Amino acid sequence: MTEVAREFRKEPTPSENILWQALRGRKLEGRKFKRQQPIGAFIVDFFCSAERLIVEVDGIVHESQQEADQQRQELLESLGLRVVRVASELVETIWMWHWRWCGKHLALIP
């Protein structure tokens, strides 16, 4: 999985690249995010371990795999992780809004 994740990091989608520029270097509320992070049998787009938060950028391919995405999300949530899904077209058009929106999900975990 590590090799696959490394390959994914070499060729991000435009929306993943935009969001990565907003998250990298602790730019969001001082939180450290990793991109294309292996978690079990999955590779998640972005992961903040301190907050147990996964941010997934959903492109057009996700329209045809909604059921699989839902099952994957439920499995990740069963591990105590939170999953935030962001549509790629929204990242590409109004990424600043999403940056602030993600920040709200970093509030204290109950």
Side-chain angles (χ1 to χ4, degrees):
M1 286 308 262
T2 304
E3 275 302 313
V4 174
R6 192 171 289 132
E7 289 302 313
F8 285 174
R9 285 192 293 272
K10 289 179 183 178
E11 296 185 32
T13 66
S15 51
E16 288 172 345
N17 193 42
I18 289 168
L19 193 52
W20 178 238
Q21 296 310 312
L23 296 173
R24 70 185 301 187
R26 300 178 185 263
K27 290 179 187 171
L28 182 62
E29 303 288 322
R31 300 316 199 278
K32 180 178 181 173
F33 280 85
K34 294 181 180 182
R35 64 183 172 136
Q36 301 302 334
Q37 178 68 35
I39 297 179
F42 304 111
I43 298 173
V44 300
D45 291 337
F46 303 99
F47 181 60
C48 176
S49 62
E51 299 293 336
R52 302 188 57 77
L53 176 66
I54 294 168
V55 180
E56 287 287 298
V57 178
D58 288 347
I60 196 160
V61 70
H62 292 273
E63 291 176 11
S64 64
Q65 62 185 45
Q66 290 179 355
E67 187 174 322
D69 283 347
Q70 183 61 36
Q71 291 173 348
R72 177 179 186 255
Q73 180 170 333
E74 288 172 4
L75 189 121
L76 291 166
E77 288 172 341
S78 75
L79 299 173
L81 303 171
R82 294 181 295 157
V83 179
V84 175
R85 305 194 85 79
V86 182
S88 63
E89 62 270 7
L90 292 177
V91 171
E92 293 173 21
T93 57
I94 54 173
W95 68 271
M96 184 59 84
W97 179 86
H98 277 292
W99 189 19
R100 291 186 189 119
W101 184 77
C102 285
K104 289 180 183 179
H105 282 79
L106 294 175
L108 296 174
I109 299 173

